[in-house]
Amino acid sequence: MRVLLTGASGYLGQHVLARLRERSCDIVLLGRSRPVGANDLPWLPVDLLDGLDLAPVLREARASHLLHLAWVAEYGKYWDSPLNLRWVDASLRLLQAFTEQGGRHAVMAGTCAEYDWRGEGLLRESTTPLNPVSLYGAAKDATRRLAQAWCRGQGVTLAWGHVFFPFGPGEARQRMLPSLIDVFRGRAEPFGVNADAWRGMLPVRDAAEALVHLLAQGCDGRYNICSGQPVQVGEVVHTLARLCGANP
């Protein structure tokens, strides 16, 4: 299994790369910059948003498996960033070049934002409607639909991971958990949250392991990358406050 990995410099990507290393996978990295600590791995310096012909790059990669994580991810901006539209095109061109150069199995990172969040209860792959309300969710959903149609026609398996809310080492300081910890430790001013909201949270290492498992097992279809045990934001606030010895 020779794996072409994109997005390895990102928050989730760093952990995915570590999990691939643990499995002693043959790894090729693709992206604008070489990830920190990956000088020993082959790296293809490509900006996927440049619109270049990717066929020569994929021929050089000689990858049998693709794990595509790269996407616009700037915190607070990715929900409605115009770059979402460009990433739809870039992701599909990458997948097309991968399959045309003999690739056999792909895993692509989607999002829980593809689901219709307005309903009640758990978000299940088999029953919950896919009806995104954000540009980010709509772009991921469109990519998934087109990617699945393409792979079916090419006889290639594709696992799509609806990633929920990973947390842990390397998380952006602006995200909810680090922000709350800063408040409870007196480093930032308090802010309001929707305490009644439910979130599916998962340690980032486990989220990375789930994606690598989908890759190694050759899984096909849609999979929720989550704990399956949603928690209320209010409970998270109280737990962090207790751990920090603070008043929520």
Side-chain angles (χ1 to χ4, degrees):
M1 182 172 73
R2 183 171 172 85
V3 182
L4 178 64
L5 175 64
T6 74
S9 295
Y11 167 49
L12 179 56
Q14 296 174 48
H15 293 272
V16 168
L17 177 56
R19 303 292 81 73
L20 289 171
R21 282 184 179 276
E22 288 176 357
R23 292 179 179 237
S24 300
C25 293
D26 186 8
I27 307 166
V28 182
L29 304 172
L30 186 151
R32 288 177 296 181
S33 59
R34 182 189 291 274
V36 175
N39 291 337
D40 59 317
L41 296 177
W43 166 56
L44 301 173
V46 174
D47 185 343
L48 289 171
L49 297 184
D50 277 349
L52 300 175
D53 179 9
L54 294 174
V57 178
L58 271 293
R59 278 197 296 271
E60 182 179 352
R62 296 180 291 105
S64 60
H65 291 61
L66 169 66
L67 211 172
H68 177 47
L69 304 175
W71 199 275
V72 55
E74 187 175 359
Y75 186 80
K77 296 184 178 180
Y78 66 88
W79 289 106
D80 56 4
S81 171
L83 290 176
N84 282 295
L85 303 180
R86 296 179 61 190
W87 274 110
V88 175
D89 171 69
S91 300
L92 294 171
R93 287 190 300 103
L94 173 66
L95 181 63
Q96 179 182 359
F98 168 72
T99 57
E100 290 178 344
Q101 299 306 316
R104 302 194 305 270
H105 177 59
V107 174
M108 303 179 77
T111 170
C112 59
E114 295 170 67
Y115 282 115
D116 189 340
W117 285 359
R118 295 168 296 183
E120 298 294 331
L122 300 177
L123 305 181
R124 302 181 186 276
E125 299 98 326
S126 59
T127 59
T128 306
L130 292 166
N131 186 23
V133 297
S134 65
L135 179 60
Y136 170 67
K140 286 281 192 176
D141 183 58
T143 303
R144 177 190 57 79
R145 293 174 188 272
L146 291 166
Q148 286 181 320
W150 173 261
C151 286
R152 281 194 299 270
Q154 300 299 309
V156 172
T157 49
L158 169 67
W160 185 270
H162 295 292
V163 180
F164 278 67
F165 295 94
F167 66 91
E171 194 171 3
R173 299 306 306 173
Q174 304 97 316
R175 288 168 61 93
M176 184 178 72
L177 267 62
S179 295
L180 287 170
I181 292 172
D182 283 345
V183 170
F184 295 143
R185 289 181 172 172
R187 297 195 294 253
E189 291 297 316
F191 59 91
V193 297
N194 181 0
D196 294 329
W198 292 86
R199 292 289 182 266
M201 305 180 70
L202 184 68
V204 65
R205 179 188 175 95
D206 293 344
E209 180 61 33
L211 290 168
V212 172
H213 180 79
L214 293 177
L215 187 79
Q217 296 300 313
C219 298
D220 193 48
R222 298 191 294 113
Y223 300 87
N224 286 344
I225 307 300
C226 64
S227 67
Q229 299 175 328
V231 295
Q232 278 191 295
V233 171
E235 181 182 344
V236 174
V237 171
H238 281 267
T239 299
L240 287 176
R242 175 175 54 80
L243 293 173
C244 294
N247 183 351

